[in-house]
Amino acid sequence: IGIVAVADTIRESAADMFGALRKQGVKRFVVLTGDSERVAHAIGLKLGLSLSEVEHDLLPEDKVNFIEALRKH
C-alpha cells in the first residue's frame, strides 16, 4: 500500500500580493479550486485568506457559475 501526494507550490510573492491588494482597498478575494477542502484551506491560510474566501472541490463549470453569480451582485 502506498500513497502519492502531489501539491502545487505557492509562489513566495503570492501572500505579499494579497496584502498589497488589501492595502490598495480590495476588500474581497475568492480562491476557486478543484482541490479538496483540506488542501484548499491550507493554501488559503498560507496566503493569509480566511476560510470563507476559499471555495473547494469545484469542477470547471462550478467555477464559471460562481463567477457569474459574483458578477450579478
Side-chain angles (χ1 to χ4, degrees):
I1 296 176
I3 297 174
V4 176
V6 178
D8 293 331
T9 56
I10 299 170
R11 292 184 185 178
E12 291 181 24
S13 61
D16 293 337
M17 178 203 60
F18 282 104
L21 290 170
R22 284 188 199 281
K23 286 180 183 177
Q24 291 181 21
V26 177
K27 295 185 183 350
R28 184 174 183 207
F29 298 96
V30 181
V31 173
L32 307 176
T33 182
D35 289 326
S36 70
E37 179 179 16
R38 189 173 128 228
V39 171
H41 285 174
I43 291 168
L45 291 174
K46 285 182 181 179
L47 295 174
L49 302 174
S50 71
L51 298 182
S52 66
E53 294 175 306
V54 179
E55 296 292 329
H56 51 83
D57 294 304
L58 300 175
L59 298 172
E61 59 267 22
D62 298 327
K63 295 173 188 178
V64 170
N65 292 335
F66 193 95
I67 293 168
E68 288 175 352
L70 285 176
R71 287 182 176 163
K72 291 180 182 177
H73 292 96

